[in-house]
Amino acid sequence: MESNSQLQGGIMERDTDKITLDDLRRPVGSELKAFRTFFRQELKTDVFLLDQMIRYLHRMKGKELRPILVLYAARLCGGINERTFRAATMIELLHTATLIHDDVVDDAEQRRGLLSINQVWKNKASILLGDFLLSKGLLVSLEADEFELLKIMSKAVKAMSEGELRQLKASKLQNMTEQKYFEIIRDKTASLLAACTESGAASASADPAEVQLMREIGLDLGIAFQIRDDLFDYGVDNVGKPLGNDIREKKITLPFIKALETCSFLERQKWKLRFRKEHKSTGEVAKITSFVHESGGFEAAASDMETYSRRALANLGKFPPTQARDDMEQLITYITSRKK
C-alpha cells in the first residue's frame, strides 16, 4: 500500500473532461524533474554540431506522455527508482529517434511548432542524430547491465520497424484491410506504449505475471491511442494538425475502412478511387469526410477504440485498489479521450 503522502499526491479532479496533462504530471512531478535531469545528462556530448542539435531537441520538448506512462507503471508496481529513470530515458531516446527518422522519410517541415531537424540541418545530419539517440539508448542499458530493459526496448524497435514496412507495402498496393490496419498499429504504435508500461513495471517489480499484465495494458492502450489519433483526421475540431491530412496523403485508417464495410462492391470501388486520387481539393476531402460520418464509419471506429480502452481498464482493475491505480486509470481515460 502507498503512504499518506503518496495518496495526497494523486489526481484529485475526477471530471475527465477537465483533466489536463498538468494534472497527470502532478502525482509524479518530482520524479519527472529527476528524469529530465537524468535524460539531459545522458545526452551530453563534446561534439559541437551534435551538441547544437541536441540543444535544439530540448527546445522541441513534447507532452512527455511516454516517460509519464513509465513512471506511472513503476509507481503502480512497487515504486519509482533509478532503474525507472533509465527505462524512461531509453523510451524517450527511442521515441525521439523514430520521430526524427519519420520526419526525414516524410520530408516534414515542422515538429512541435518549430522547424524539423531535417529542415534545419538536412537529412544526413538528421539520420545521424537519430542513430546517435538509438545508440545512447543501448548504452544507457548496457552500462548499467540492464539486460531486461534492453530486451524490452529491442522488441519494441523490431516491432515498430516491421509495422512501418507493413504500412509502406499496404499503402503502395492500396489494399489496406481491417486486419492489416490492426497489425500495423499494434506494431507501429502500440508496441512502444507496451514497452513503456512493461519497462516501468520491470524496473519496480520482480513478478513476471505483473510485468506481463502491464505490457497487455500498454498494448490495448496503444491501439486505442492510435485509433483516437486517426479519428482526429475526420473530426471537426482544431487538434493541432490539418484536418483531412490522412485523406490527402491517401493514408487509409479505421474510420474509412469501417465506412467501406457498409457499401456495396461498386460503391466501395467508387470511394476507393476517390481516396486514391492525387492532389485532392478541399471539397473532395470534405466529401470523403462526410461519407465516413454518414455511413457510420466514424462511430464504428470510435466504438473499437472504446473496446480497447475498456480492456486496458479491466486489466488495470486486477491490481489492488491504490491511489496509483486510480491515477493510472485517469491517464488511460485521458489518452483515449484527449482533444489533441
XYZ file of all heavy atoms in Angstrom, residues 30-111:
677
model
N 7.925 15.430 -8.959
C 9.329 15.451 -8.555
C 10.131 14.409 -9.323
O 11.280 14.648 -9.712
C 9.464 15.223 -7.046
O 8.903 13.974 -6.683
N 9.518 13.245 -9.542
C 10.205 12.175 -10.297
C 10.405 12.578 -11.760
O 11.411 12.235 -12.380
C 9.406 10.872 -10.213
C 9.357 10.245 -8.837
C 8.204 10.755 -7.995
O 7.567 11.769 -8.396
O 7.926 10.161 -6.947
N 9.455 13.325 -12.316
C 9.571 13.781 -13.703
C 10.727 14.769 -13.833
O 11.469 14.750 -14.825
C 8.253 14.419 -14.140
C 7.965 14.534 -15.635
C 8.117 13.194 -16.340
C 6.556 15.083 -15.855
N 10.895 15.616 -12.827
C 12.030 16.548 -12.835
C 13.348 15.782 -12.775
O 14.315 16.119 -13.468
C 11.923 17.511 -11.641
C 10.852 18.573 -11.790
C 10.818 19.487 -10.582
C 9.707 20.527 -10.713
N 9.631 21.394 -9.507
N 13.382 14.742 -11.930
C 14.597 13.922 -11.821
C 14.883 13.210 -13.140
O 16.044 13.089 -13.557
C 14.441 12.908 -10.690
N 13.832 12.751 -13.800
C 14.003 12.107 -15.101
C 14.599 13.071 -16.115
O 15.515 12.719 -16.868
C 12.666 11.570 -15.619
C 12.592 11.489 -17.120
C 13.287 10.496 -17.808
C 11.861 12.421 -17.857
C 13.250 10.430 -19.197
C 11.814 12.352 -19.241
C 12.516 11.353 -19.911
N 14.081 14.304 -16.153
C 14.581 15.291 -17.119
C 16.077 15.539 -16.913
O 16.836 15.650 -17.872
C 13.807 16.595 -16.983
C 12.362 16.513 -17.459
C 11.619 17.799 -17.188
N 10.197 17.664 -17.435
C 9.248 18.175 -16.648
N 9.590 18.871 -15.562
N 7.970 18.018 -16.934
N 16.487 15.635 -15.642
C 17.908 15.826 -15.332
C 18.723 14.630 -15.809
O 19.786 14.780 -16.433
C 18.102 16.017 -13.822
O 17.356 17.163 -13.389
C 19.572 16.208 -13.483
N 18.233 13.419 -15.532
C 18.894 12.186 -15.951
C 19.010 12.139 -17.474
O 20.059 11.811 -18.033
C 18.088 10.988 -15.433
C 18.774 9.659 -15.588
C 19.503 9.101 -14.555
C 18.677 8.937 -16.778
C 20.137 7.876 -14.689
C 19.302 7.715 -16.932
C 20.034 7.182 -15.882
N 17.923 12.495 -18.152
C 17.874 12.458 -19.612
C 18.889 13.424 -20.225
O 19.643 13.074 -21.139
C 16.457 12.797 -20.071
C 16.246 12.716 -21.558
C 16.123 11.489 -22.196
C 16.155 13.865 -22.334
C 15.930 11.400 -23.558
C 15.956 13.791 -23.704
C 15.841 12.546 -24.313
N 18.911 14.656 -19.722
C 19.834 15.657 -20.254
C 21.297 15.257 -20.007
O 22.170 15.487 -20.852
C 19.554 17.025 -19.617
C 18.293 17.695 -20.157
C 17.990 18.989 -19.427
N 16.798 19.623 -19.974
C 16.806 20.548 -20.915
N 17.950 20.943 -21.433
N 15.683 21.075 -21.355
N 21.542 14.653 -18.853
C 22.894 14.212 -18.526
C 23.380 13.154 -19.518
O 24.540 13.166 -19.947
C 22.925 13.654 -17.095
C 24.310 13.314 -16.573
C 25.189 14.542 -16.358
O 24.698 15.620 -16.006
N 26.491 14.394 -16.578
N 22.489 12.259 -19.882
C 22.856 11.176 -20.805
C 23.150 11.688 -22.214
O 23.856 11.036 -22.979
C 21.740 10.131 -20.861
C 21.602 9.285 -19.608
C 22.846 8.448 -19.324
O 23.509 8.022 -20.288
O 23.153 8.238 -18.141
N 22.613 12.848 -22.563
C 22.776 13.372 -23.924
C 23.932 14.362 -24.061
O 24.122 14.936 -25.131
C 21.478 14.041 -24.387
C 20.344 13.100 -24.771
C 19.151 13.892 -25.285
C 20.779 12.100 -25.828
N 24.694 14.550 -22.994
C 25.829 15.475 -23.083
C 26.874 14.942 -24.052
O 27.162 13.757 -24.089
C 26.452 15.681 -21.700
C 25.655 16.631 -20.812
C 26.402 16.954 -19.546
C 25.643 17.996 -18.717
N 26.367 18.300 -17.455
N 27.436 15.845 -24.852
C 28.451 15.468 -25.832
C 29.400 16.638 -26.054
O 29.021 17.804 -25.873
C 27.802 15.071 -27.169
O 28.820 14.806 -28.123
C 26.900 16.174 -27.702
N 30.645 16.329 -26.424
C 31.605 17.393 -26.718
C 31.769 17.610 -28.216
O 32.652 18.343 -28.663
C 32.965 17.096 -26.079
C 33.527 15.751 -26.508
O 32.901 15.089 -27.359
O 34.594 15.363 -25.987
N 30.909 16.962 -29.021
C 30.900 17.197 -30.470
C 30.015 18.416 -30.737
O 28.809 18.385 -30.458
C 30.361 15.965 -31.228
C 30.303 16.253 -32.729
C 31.222 14.743 -30.939
N 30.597 19.485 -31.271
C 29.911 20.777 -31.353
C 28.576 20.679 -32.104
O 27.541 21.110 -31.602
C 30.809 21.822 -32.028
C 30.133 23.165 -32.171
C 30.000 24.006 -31.088
C 29.609 23.568 -33.405
C 29.356 25.235 -31.215
C 28.970 24.790 -33.540
C 28.844 25.622 -32.440
N 28.580 20.115 -33.327
C 27.355 20.052 -34.125
C 26.290 19.220 -33.422
O 25.117 19.609 -33.370
C 27.649 19.461 -35.508
C 26.439 19.262 -36.427
C 25.710 20.586 -36.661
C 26.856 18.642 -37.754
N 26.703 18.104 -32.861
C 25.772 17.245 -32.144
C 25.182 17.967 -30.944
O 23.978 17.885 -30.666
C 26.499 15.974 -31.696
C 25.675 14.744 -31.320
C 24.638 14.402 -32.378
C 26.602 13.563 -31.070
N 26.024 18.721 -30.237
C 25.562 19.484 -29.078
C 24.527 20.522 -29.490
O 23.514 20.712 -28.799
C 26.753 20.167 -28.407
C 26.350 20.969 -27.177
O 25.869 20.346 -26.202
O 26.486 22.205 -27.194
N 24.747 21.195 -30.625
C 23.793 22.192 -31.110
C 22.451 21.544 -31.466
O 21.379 22.089 -31.158
C 24.367 22.911 -32.342
C 25.596 23.750 -32.053
C 25.332 24.828 -31.013
O 24.429 25.650 -31.176
N 26.094 24.813 -29.934
N 22.509 20.382 -32.083
C 21.284 19.680 -32.464
C 20.515 19.196 -31.229
O 19.283 19.283 -31.177
C 21.612 18.501 -33.380
C 22.234 18.917 -34.715
S 22.818 17.514 -35.692
C 21.276 16.946 -36.403
N 21.243 18.731 -30.236
C 20.600 18.256 -29.006
C 19.973 19.415 -28.241
O 18.876 19.299 -27.687
C 21.616 17.483 -28.146
C 21.928 16.135 -28.812
C 21.079 17.263 -26.731
C 23.088 15.400 -28.204
N 20.657 20.556 -28.212
C 20.071 21.752 -27.579
C 18.753 22.128 -28.257
O 17.783 22.511 -27.602
C 21.057 22.927 -27.647
C 22.235 22.811 -26.699
C 23.222 23.964 -26.936
N 24.399 23.839 -26.099
C 24.518 24.325 -24.877
N 23.510 25.007 -24.341
N 25.631 24.169 -24.191
N 18.744 22.026 -29.573
C 17.519 22.324 -30.328
C 16.434 21.305 -29.993
O 15.257 21.660 -29.854
C 17.837 22.309 -31.820
C 16.724 22.840 -32.700
C 16.491 24.209 -32.816
C 15.913 21.972 -33.422
C 15.478 24.705 -33.631
C 14.903 22.458 -34.236
C 14.686 23.813 -34.333
O 13.676 24.293 -35.142
N 16.828 20.049 -29.845
C 15.879 18.995 -29.471
C 15.193 19.314 -28.148
O 13.979 19.109 -27.996
C 16.601 17.649 -29.333
C 16.624 16.695 -30.506
C 17.320 15.408 -30.096
C 15.220 16.407 -31.025
N 15.981 19.781 -27.170
C 15.406 20.111 -25.860
C 14.349 21.213 -25.978
O 13.385 21.239 -25.196
C 16.504 20.540 -24.889
C 17.419 19.423 -24.477
N 16.969 18.159 -24.183
C 18.771 19.394 -24.296
C 17.991 17.392 -23.836
N 19.090 18.106 -23.910
N 14.510 22.108 -26.947
C 13.508 23.160 -27.161
C 12.216 22.586 -27.732
O 11.157 23.194 -27.599
C 14.059 24.213 -28.139
C 15.165 25.093 -27.569
C 15.707 26.024 -28.642
N 14.646 26.852 -29.225
C 14.755 27.503 -30.381
N 15.891 27.405 -31.078
N 13.762 28.233 -30.843
N 12.314 21.404 -28.365
C 11.154 20.783 -29.007
C 10.423 19.816 -28.066
O 9.711 18.932 -28.513
C 11.602 20.018 -30.255
C 12.242 20.885 -31.317
S 12.987 19.900 -32.646
C 11.519 19.301 -33.486
N 10.616 19.985 -26.770
C 10.035 19.069 -25.793
C 8.544 18.882 -26.017
O 7.790 19.839 -26.150
C 10.282 19.588 -24.375
C 9.794 18.646 -23.272
C 10.287 19.125 -21.922
C 9.554 20.378 -21.471
N 8.164 20.104 -21.034
N 8.109 17.625 -26.065
C 6.702 17.312 -26.288
C 5.921 17.152 -24.997
O 6.278 17.723 -23.960
N 4.878 16.345 -25.036
C 3.993 16.182 -23.881
C 4.597 15.310 -22.785
O 4.098 15.265 -21.678
C 2.667 15.560 -24.334
C 1.909 16.363 -25.383
C 0.591 15.658 -25.709
C -0.182 16.375 -26.800
N 0.456 16.214 -28.137
N 5.646 14.569 -23.113
C 6.294 13.626 -22.180
C 5.343 12.516 -21.745
O 5.476 11.960 -20.666
C 6.843 14.358 -20.952
C 7.929 15.364 -21.268
C 8.451 16.064 -20.031
O 7.622 16.575 -19.253
O 9.673 16.117 -19.847
N 4.394 12.184 -22.610
C 3.387 11.184 -22.272
C 4.021 9.822 -22.004
O 3.612 9.113 -21.071
C 2.379 11.087 -23.422
C 1.015 10.487 -23.121
C 0.341 11.188 -21.961
C 0.140 10.573 -24.365
N 5.018 9.463 -22.795
C 5.629 8.131 -22.648
C 6.465 8.006 -21.383
O 6.315 7.014 -20.660
C 6.414 7.781 -23.919
C 5.483 7.469 -25.087
C 6.107 7.691 -26.448
N 5.093 7.564 -27.511
C 4.285 8.565 -27.880
N 4.378 9.747 -27.300
N 3.388 8.366 -28.830
N 7.317 8.975 -21.052
C 8.004 8.894 -19.754
C 7.026 8.894 -18.569
O 7.253 8.185 -17.583
C 8.883 10.150 -19.736
C 9.109 10.471 -21.164
C 7.848 10.081 -21.874
N 5.957 9.682 -18.682
C 4.950 9.691 -17.611
C 4.338 8.307 -17.452
O 4.141 7.819 -16.330
C 3.848 10.733 -17.909
C 4.408 12.149 -17.779
C 2.656 10.557 -16.968
C 3.467 13.242 -18.268
N 4.072 7.638 -18.566
C 3.494 6.293 -18.527
C 4.457 5.310 -17.862
O 4.038 4.445 -17.082
C 3.152 5.839 -19.947
C 2.300 4.584 -20.121
C 1.009 4.671 -19.331
C 2.007 4.347 -21.600
N 5.750 5.440 -18.147
C 6.761 4.591 -17.498
C 6.732 4.820 -15.987
O 6.725 3.860 -15.195
C 8.171 4.894 -18.051
C 9.232 4.105 -17.268
C 8.263 4.557 -19.530
N 6.712 6.080 -15.572
C 6.711 6.414 -14.152
C 5.446 5.909 -13.458
O 5.507 5.372 -12.340
C 6.843 7.934 -13.972
C 8.152 8.569 -14.451
C 8.079 10.087 -14.360
C 9.340 8.053 -13.657
N 4.305 6.061 -14.104
C 3.047 5.585 -13.534
C 3.066 4.066 -13.347
O 2.592 3.546 -12.331
C 1.878 5.969 -14.444
C 1.199 7.271 -14.102
C 1.924 8.435 -13.914
C -0.182 7.343 -13.987
C 1.296 9.626 -13.618
C -0.829 8.532 -13.681
C -0.082 9.680 -13.500
O -0.712 10.855 -13.195
N 3.592 3.353 -14.347
C 3.638 1.887 -14.272
C 4.523 1.437 -13.115
O 4.175 0.513 -12.365
C 4.124 1.303 -15.589
N 5.680 2.090 -12.963
C 6.584 1.744 -11.867
C 5.945 2.055 -10.515
O 6.048 1.268 -9.565
C 7.901 2.498 -12.023
N 5.300 3.195 -10.435
C 4.633 3.613 -9.192
C 3.576 2.609 -8.786
O 3.398 2.302 -7.604
C 4.029 5.003 -9.429
C 3.336 5.643 -8.242
C 3.035 7.100 -8.583
N 2.210 7.747 -7.586
C 0.939 8.083 -7.772
N 0.367 7.813 -8.937
N 0.242 8.680 -6.826
N 2.874 2.056 -9.769
C 1.826 1.078 -9.501
C 2.399 -0.265 -9.062
O 1.783 -0.987 -8.281
C 0.967 0.896 -10.760
C -0.192 -0.095 -10.703
C -1.226 0.325 -9.663
C -0.852 -0.218 -12.073
N 3.596 -0.585 -9.556
C 4.162 -1.930 -9.348
C 5.247 -1.997 -8.286
O 6.035 -2.938 -8.266
C 4.704 -2.462 -10.668
S 3.427 -2.755 -11.910
N 5.321 -1.012 -7.414
C 6.289 -1.105 -6.329
C 6.999 0.184 -5.988
O 7.467 0.376 -4.865
N 7.113 1.087 -6.951
C 7.754 2.362 -6.650
C 8.798 2.771 -7.672
O 9.492 1.941 -8.243
N 8.905 4.066 -7.900
C 9.854 4.628 -8.857
C 11.254 4.622 -8.253
O 11.443 4.959 -7.083
C 9.436 6.064 -9.231
C 8.072 6.050 -9.944
C 10.480 6.740 -10.109
C 7.417 7.406 -10.054
N 12.240 4.215 -9.055
C 13.622 4.162 -8.602
C 14.546 4.530 -9.760
O 14.088 4.926 -10.833
C 13.948 2.765 -8.057
C 13.624 1.677 -9.075
O 14.195 1.647 -10.161
N 12.687 0.801 -8.741
N 15.847 4.377 -9.552
C 16.797 4.773 -10.600
C 16.630 3.940 -11.867
O 16.810 4.441 -12.983
C 18.240 4.650 -10.096
C 19.246 5.256 -11.067
C 20.653 5.324 -10.507
O 20.821 5.109 -9.295
O 21.573 5.600 -11.299
N 16.252 2.669 -11.718
C 16.009 1.824 -12.896
C 14.867 2.397 -13.735
O 14.881 2.316 -14.959
C 15.659 0.400 -12.475
C 16.783 -0.388 -11.839
C 16.381 -1.844 -11.704
N 16.349 -2.500 -13.010
C 15.585 -3.551 -13.310
N 14.744 -4.049 -12.396
N 15.629 -4.097 -14.507
N 13.891 2.979 -13.058
C 12.752 3.577 -13.754
C 13.208 4.747 -14.614
O 12.753 4.909 -15.749
C 11.688 4.055 -12.757
O 11.405 3.021 -11.808
C 10.414 4.448 -13.479
N 14.126 5.568 -14.086
C 14.646 6.698 -14.864
C 15.397 6.205 -16.098
O 15.320 6.808 -17.164
C 15.555 7.573 -14.001
C 14.852 8.226 -12.847
C 15.447 8.310 -11.597
C 13.577 8.752 -13.000
C 14.794 8.909 -10.530
C 12.908 9.350 -11.942
C 13.525 9.432 -10.698
N 16.122 5.088 -15.947
C 16.801 4.523 -17.107
C 15.782 4.063 -18.146
O 15.953 4.290 -19.345
C 17.687 3.339 -16.686
C 18.901 3.723 -15.891
C 19.898 2.576 -15.793
N 20.839 2.827 -14.703
C 20.774 2.261 -13.514
N 19.831 1.374 -13.263
N 21.642 2.548 -12.585
N 14.739 3.383 -17.673
C 13.706 2.897 -18.589
C 13.043 4.061 -19.322
O 12.853 4.018 -20.549
C 12.661 2.097 -17.822
N 12.691 5.109 -18.583
C 12.036 6.274 -19.194
C 12.968 6.970 -20.180
O 12.536 7.433 -21.245
C 11.604 7.260 -18.105
N 14.260 7.023 -19.851
C 15.244 7.648 -20.743
C 15.387 6.841 -22.025
O 15.429 7.400 -23.134
C 16.604 7.763 -20.031
O 16.460 8.642 -18.906
C 17.670 8.314 -20.970
N 15.459 5.518 -21.900
C 15.563 4.659 -23.087
C 14.336 4.823 -23.989
O 14.460 4.907 -25.211
C 15.713 3.203 -22.645
C 17.053 2.905 -21.988
S 17.068 1.313 -21.123
C 16.999 0.186 -22.521
N 13.167 4.881 -23.378
C 11.928 5.072 -24.144
C 11.951 6.408 -24.879
O 11.627 6.491 -26.072
C 10.704 5.010 -23.206
C 10.442 3.575 -22.737
C 9.464 5.592 -23.888
C 9.861 2.654 -23.777
N 12.337 7.460 -24.176
C 12.322 8.798 -24.780
C 13.363 8.906 -25.901
O 13.120 9.544 -26.926
C 12.563 9.859 -23.709
C 12.288 11.278 -24.161
C 10.809 11.587 -24.384
O 9.970 10.657 -24.395
O 10.480 12.774 -24.553
N 14.514 8.267 -25.715
C 15.534 8.256 -26.764
C 15.025 7.525 -28.003
O 15.182 8.002 -29.131
C 16.807 7.587 -26.249
C 17.634 8.400 -25.242
C 18.690 7.507 -24.589
C 18.295 9.595 -25.916
N 14.404 6.377 -27.784
C 13.851 5.594 -28.900
C 12.753 6.375 -29.615
O 12.741 6.466 -30.854
C 13.307 4.267 -28.372
C 12.471 3.411 -29.336
C 13.257 3.077 -30.592
C 12.005 2.134 -28.633
N 11.837 6.952 -28.857
C 10.726 7.699 -29.444
C 11.226 8.899 -30.243
O 10.779 9.137 -31.375
C 9.788 8.156 -28.330
C 8.624 8.961 -28.800
N 7.738 8.512 -29.759
C 8.187 10.202 -28.455
C 6.819 9.425 -29.979
N 7.075 10.464 -29.214
N 12.162 9.641 -29.678
C 12.688 10.827 -30.355
C 13.422 10.449 -31.633
O 13.280 11.111 -32.673
C 13.636 11.606 -29.420
O 12.955 11.893 -28.189
C 14.083 12.909 -30.063
N 14.201 9.359 -31.573
C 14.930 8.907 -32.767
C 13.967 8.532 -33.886
O 14.194 8.884 -35.058
C 15.809 7.706 -32.412
N 12.883 7.850 -33.549
C 11.916 7.448 -34.581
C 11.209 8.670 -35.173
O 10.933 8.698 -36.378
C 10.884 6.460 -34.034
O 10.194 7.037 -32.908
C 11.542 5.173 -33.576
N 10.922 9.674 -34.352
C 10.298 10.899 -34.868
C 11.222 11.610 -35.852
O 10.774 12.096 -36.898
C 9.937 11.847 -33.716
C 8.821 11.405 -32.759
C 8.583 12.480 -31.706
C 7.536 11.105 -33.515
N 12.502 11.678 -35.522
C 13.479 12.332 -36.412
C 13.572 11.580 -37.734
O 13.552 12.179 -38.817
C 14.854 12.414 -35.725
C 14.793 13.384 -34.546
C 15.933 12.854 -36.720
C 16.020 13.353 -33.655
N 13.649 10.263 -37.661
C 13.719 9.459 -38.887
C 12.425 9.577 -39.698
O 12.463 9.641 -40.932
C 14.004 8.005 -38.532
C 15.437 7.757 -38.133
N 15.847 6.611 -37.496
C 16.555 8.524 -38.275
C 17.154 6.672 -37.278
N 17.599 7.827 -37.738
N 11.276 9.610 -38.996
C 9.990 9.776 -39.686
C 9.939 11.096 -40.444
O 9.420 11.170 -41.567
C 8.831 9.712 -38.688
C 8.524 8.300 -38.226
O 9.064 7.356 -38.826
O 7.753 8.147 -37.262
N 10.450 12.154 -39.822
C 10.431 13.467 -40.464
C 11.287 13.480 -41.732
O 10.963 14.164 -42.703
C 10.925 14.545 -39.493
C 9.885 14.900 -38.439
O 8.713 14.495 -38.606
O 10.247 15.570 -37.445
N 12.385 12.724 -41.723
C 13.219 12.616 -42.915
C 12.453 11.893 -44.018
O 12.406 12.343 -45.173
C 14.543 11.876 -42.606
C 15.303 11.571 -43.900
C 15.412 12.706 -41.664
N 11.834 10.761 -43.659
C 11.081 9.964 -44.635
C 9.926 10.775 -45.227
O 9.667 10.740 -46.437
C 10.543 8.675 -43.979
C 9.584 7.948 -44.924
C 11.701 7.747 -43.602
N 9.232 11.532 -44.354
C 8.051 12.290 -44.786
C 8.401 13.678 -45.332
O 7.507 14.408 -45.763
C 7.074 12.457 -43.612
C 6.554 11.126 -43.101
O 6.564 10.152 -43.882
O 6.155 11.053 -41.921
N 9.692 14.045 -45.259
C 10.128 15.385 -45.658
C 9.317 16.447 -44.908
O 8.878 17.450 -45.476
C 9.997 15.580 -47.171
C 10.795 16.779 -47.666
O 11.751 17.178 -46.976
O 10.444 17.327 -48.731
N 9.130 16.209 -43.603
C 8.325 17.107 -42.765
C 9.027 18.449 -42.591
O 10.262 18.517 -42.530
C 8.077 16.471 -41.408
N 8.233 19.495 -42.499
C 8.795 20.836 -42.354
C 8.784 21.317 -40.911
O 9.605 22.160 -40.526
C 8.020 21.825 -43.227
C 8.162 21.544 -44.724
C 7.445 22.572 -45.570
O 6.791 23.470 -44.988
O 7.535 22.483 -46.807
N 7.835 20.796 -40.115
C 7.729 21.256 -38.737
C 7.543 20.079 -37.787
O 7.044 19.021 -38.153
C 6.553 22.228 -38.568
C 6.799 23.607 -39.155
C 5.794 24.625 -38.649
O 4.662 24.297 -38.320
N 6.217 25.868 -38.573
N 7.934 20.306 -36.538
C 7.716 19.347 -35.473
C 7.511 20.139 -34.195
O 8.368 20.916 -33.801
C 8.904 18.393 -35.349
C 8.925 17.508 -34.121
C 7.852 16.441 -34.130
N 8.043 15.464 -35.208
C 7.207 14.436 -35.389
N 6.148 14.282 -34.616
N 7.415 13.585 -36.391
